[in-house]
Amino acid sequence: MATPEKTGDVAVHDEIQPAPLTTTNTIPDEYRELDNGEITAEALGGMVDDLPKGYYRSMSFIGTMLALCLGQSSCYFGFVMPANVLTIINEDIGPNPNYVWIALIWNLTQAVAFVLVGRLSDLLGRRWFFVGGQSIGLLGSIIACTAHNVPVLIVGSAFIGIGAGVQLSFGMVVGELIPNKHRGFGISCIFVSALPLTVFGPVVIRSMILHMGAGWRWSYYFNVMLLTVVVALFYFCYHPPTYAMLHARRANHVSPWKMVDFVGVLLFTAGLLVLLLGISWGGSMYPWKSGMVIGFIVGGAAILILLVLWEIYGAGDYPLIPIHLFKNRQYMGTILTAAVGSMVYYSLLVLWPVQITMLYDTDSMAIGWKSCIVAGASLLGQGACGVLVRVLGKHKLQLMVSVSLLTAFTGAMAATTPETPGMAVAFIFLASTFLGYVENVALTIGPFCLDASDLGLALGLLGATRSTLATTAQAIFTTILSNKLVTNIPKYVVPAVLDAGLPQSSVTDLLTALAAGNMTGVPGITPGITAAATEGNKQAYSHSFQIVYLAAVAFGVCGVLAATNAPNSESKFTNVVQRKLHHTGFDNKTTKEAEA
């Protein structure tokens, strides 16, 4: 027996080292595992030509990809569609002033889930995180579809958000199982698979409300049915490398629990939740200067500082978030660029329907159709990136150009008025298209900045950063809009209604009635005054939105600067497959054996 060598406190014997991977092509040096044979040959993918014949036609692979596609659709049934009609939901099972938490809690829980799923599944294996995460989302959907008051629906949405954090982590699975050169195309295929709901979700949910007995609940009913299939597919088809395969040398000596940074998990979860709560409350539920907002923001930041100190000095060999990631300039440049795209995207999802309603249309279905533009154009950009990201190369330049155009067209929205609906639609379409392109480029090249064993961590931290900064931007843009309306509504409405003949004594009553959407009870009101008030209100909103879009330009400039640090990853687009599914019928077989 060979003399054991020491790896930390664990004795490693030659006979438990995994057999070398049999290949017919040489794996590029930059893709060789850096763990001295820690991962077994059964789990390693190698070159695509070395995979058994028929591997990509196996039930395990096809079922896994189908589960990812259906999981992406679940995000729209579970969040995007209900979020589009929150006021209608509140009228049905409320009214409750806390109904905004239906969307807010989803954002909070999915942001936390990104990092936890990414990092822990890197260490412990992904299978049960994906099966368990979808099961939690299924439980949330059952709670939501049976909810008869807002607090219960909020609880359901929290569970759905956890499931969404797993669903939106599909890049971890795609990045491992398909060749690196097709990673961008694979990601775009998952995005495009949800096309009907991505593009027409707002119209679908409004049609449900108009024509189906249970109305908005059907969104959750469909999600229950969808997630039942997803859970089954992941359970029966998704068999990625297990803990024992990922840690061949340590599996018999180190408990999986010792690889979980429980203190880091607690600090990260508490810090991010508290911080995001404070940011989300600011300017909406409470003034920014209120003790509640300041206390939560400062408290969340303090907990995250403690997290950093713990990760540096106390986490040991398996920190939740290794600090060296923040020293990786290329990786940080990529995820910050992606975060800027998300800051604009989630803000447009919220602000664009408001702009349509206040400036261009009041019909519910018409609003729904126009609201489809943001998600639909974003999907177009994601699909285009899947085709072009490898062909064009020069990924730093691709990011810089696409985020510059995103910024330019978002800023151009400041030139739109109530009289230019066509211009607004065109600029929103173009901005959203480049927004989707930015997102897919970042998801494709971001993990290339780190080791293959950190793929989940790379995408998890990217997702959490995007969610955090998107929530921050949404709060900032909403506050800017609210603050400008406070001054612009009196500025544009009052002179218009006085010129139309409204008595001075009725101005306050009119402004109150205008905010409520019904001016019929205002003393001295006439059809001409009503028309003047409506037109003045449009001008007030138009000028307020202009400031919001100009503010978005500042974030876009930051995105362009961040993109200058992104890598050119042409050399990474090879035939290498990082990991391999087992239980495919081809386990431990070479290509020749499979062909025999």
Side-chain angles (χ1 to χ4, degrees):
M1 179 182 295
T3 303
E5 59 175 329
K6 289 286 186 179
T7 303
D9 296 327
V10 180
V12 181
H13 297 270
D14 290 340
E15 64 264 29
I16 67 170
Q17 293 183 20
L21 180 68
T22 302
T23 60
T24 56
N25 297 300
T26 301
I27 298 178
D29 290 339
E30 63 266 27
Y31 288 99
R32 292 186 183 279
E33 294 298 329
L34 303 178
D35 47 42
N36 298 318
E38 183 72 19
I39 299 177
T40 66
E42 183 183 12
L44 279 172
M47 301 297 288
V48 68
D49 292 339
D50 297 311
L51 293 173
K53 184 178 181 180
Y55 172 81
Y56 285 119
R57 297 192 300 274
S58 68
M59 185 61 196
S60 290
F61 181 80
I62 294 173
T64 297
M65 293 299 110
L66 180 59
L68 295 176
C69 292
L70 296 179
Q72 178 72 3
S73 295
S74 172
C75 285
Y76 291 89
F77 277 124
F79 172 70
V80 177
M81 289 165 59
N84 197 263
V85 291
L86 285 181
T87 55
I88 297 175
I89 294 175
N90 188 43
E91 291 173 2
D92 185 24
I93 61 175
N96 188 313
N98 295 318
Y99 77 95
V100 294
W101 276 85
I102 298 170
L104 176 60
I105 197 67
W106 185 93
N107 281 315
L108 298 180
T109 54
Q110 62 96 20
V112 171
F114 272 130
V115 170
L116 299 186
V117 171
R119 177 56 169 167
L120 297 181
S121 68
D122 278 344
L123 295 173
L124 306 178
R126 305 204 197 281
R127 173 173 160 77
W128 291 110
F129 285 94
F130 276 80
V131 173
Q134 307 302 322
S135 300
I136 292 173
L138 174 59
L139 174 61
S141 297
I142 293 172
I143 294 173
C145 72
T146 57
H148 291 285
N149 57 62
V150 169
V152 173
L153 186 53
I154 291 172
V155 172
S157 189
F159 287 119
I160 293 172
I162 295 173
V166 180
Q167 293 158 359
L168 295 174
S169 298
F170 63 84
M172 302 174 192
V173 179
V174 173
E176 285 185 340
L177 300 184
I178 68 173
N180 289 339
K181 68 179 182 180
H182 297 314
R183 184 177 291 182
F185 181 74
I187 291 173
S188 69
C189 286
I190 304 298
F191 279 128
V192 172
S193 69
L195 186 148
L197 298 178
T198 303
V199 179
F200 304 114
V203 175
V204 171
I205 186 66
R206 291 171 187 271
S207 296
M208 289 177 180
I209 292 171
L210 289 175
H211 304 296
M212 301 178 76
W216 56 269
R217 293 181 188 275
W218 273 102
S219 186
Y220 294 113
Y221 291 152
F222 282 125
N223 206 35
V224 169
M225 292 183 277
L226 194 63
L227 283 178
T228 300
V229 177
V230 171
V231 170
L233 286 171
F234 273 122
Y235 181 81
F236 289 108
C237 300
Y238 184 47
H239 297 279
T242 64
Y243 173 77
M245 294 176 185
L246 294 173
H247 305 284
R249 294 187 172 197
R250 298 180 176 87
N252 295 327
H253 306 276
V254 180
S255 167
W257 298 108
K258 292 185 178 180
M259 291 191 177
V260 179
D261 177 12
F262 288 104
V263 175
V265 169
L266 178 63
L267 291 174
F268 172 77
T269 302
L272 190 60
L273 285 176
V274 172
L275 177 66
L276 289 178
L277 280 173
I279 293 172
S280 301
W281 284 341
S284 55
M285 298 181 67
Y286 304 99
W288 281 101
K289 63 181 180 180
S290 71
M292 183 71 75
V293 171
I294 294 174
F296 269 71
I297 291 177
V298 173
I303 296 173
L304 292 177
I305 291 173
L306 288 176
L307 170 66
V308 173
L309 295 175
W310 168 257
E311 299 294 74
I312 294 174
Y313 300 110
D317 295 332
Y318 302 102
L320 177 66
I321 304 177
I323 299 302
H324 69 79
L325 263 65
F326 298 99
K327 300 178 182 178
N328 188 322
R329 185 173 176 179
Q330 292 184 333
Y331 175 68
M332 293 306 299
T334 302
I335 69 171
L336 289 176
T337 305
V340 167
S342 293
M343 293 167 80
V344 176
Y345 177 67
Y346 285 103
S347 299
L348 290 180
L349 281 179
V350 173
L351 295 175
W352 174 237
V354 177
Q355 185 170 357
I356 297 169
T357 303
M358 302 310 301
L359 301 186
Y360 304 125
D361 225 313
T362 56
D363 179 73
S364 177
M365 291 304 298
I367 294 170
W369 281 108
K370 289 185 173 70
S371 297
C372 296
I373 295 171
V374 174
S378 177
L379 183 64
L380 175 63
Q382 291 162 345
C385 176
V387 175
L388 299 175
V389 65
R390 176 190 168 210
V391 175
L392 296 180
K394 304 295 182 184
H395 304 107
K396 177 192 293 188
L397 183 60
Q398 286 192 52
L399 268 184
M400 291 178 63
V401 171
S402 54
V403 78
S404 295
L405 291 171
L406 163 63
T407 303
F409 288 116
T410 301
M413 283 294 294
T416 61
T417 68
E419 292 75 36
T420 58
M423 181 187 296
V425 168
F427 287 155
I428 282 289
F429 177 85
L430 291 169
S432 299
T433 300
F434 288 107
L435 184 155
Y437 199 97
V438 168
E439 182 176 32
N440 202 352
V441 173
L443 287 173
T444 301
I445 70 173
F448 286 141
C449 302
L450 304 176
D451 295 337
S453 57
D454 289 330
L455 174 64
L457 175 61
L459 291 175
L461 187 58
L462 187 153
T465 302
R466 288 165 54 208
S467 295
T468 302
L469 294 183
T471 301
T472 303
Q474 187 173 316
I476 291 173
F477 292 153
T478 302
T479 299
I480 292 173
L481 179 62
S482 299
N483 290 342
K484 295 306 296 183
L485 287 173
V486 168
T487 57
N488 282 339
I489 288 178
K491 179 179 178 180
Y492 291 97
V493 172
V494 173
V497 296
L498 291 177
D499 289 345
L502 182 73
Q504 181 71 48
S505 59
S506 298
V507 169
T508 302
D509 292 336
L510 181 135
L511 293 177
T512 302
L514 181 64
N518 186 354
M519 294 179 282
T520 57
V522 177
I525 195 72
T526 65
I529 295 173
T530 299
T534 301
E535 180 59 30
N537 198 47
K538 284 186 177 182
Q539 294 298 325
Y541 268 89
S542 178
H543 285 82
S544 299
F545 275 116
Q546 289 173 359
I547 303 301
V548 173
Y549 288 120
L550 290 175
V553 172
F555 291 113
V557 171
C558 293
V560 175
L561 295 176
T564 62
N565 295 295
N568 287 316
S569 303
E570 293 92 338
S571 63
K572 310 286 187 177
F573 283 68
T574 66
N575 277 323
V576 170
V577 179
Q578 302 292 356
R579 299 287 184 267
K580 184 167 56 180
L581 291 172
H582 55 101
H583 290 195
T584 61
F586 300 114
D587 297 9
N588 297 321
K589 294 180 180 179
T590 63
T591 304
K592 292 181 180 180
E593 290 173 333
E595 291 174 344

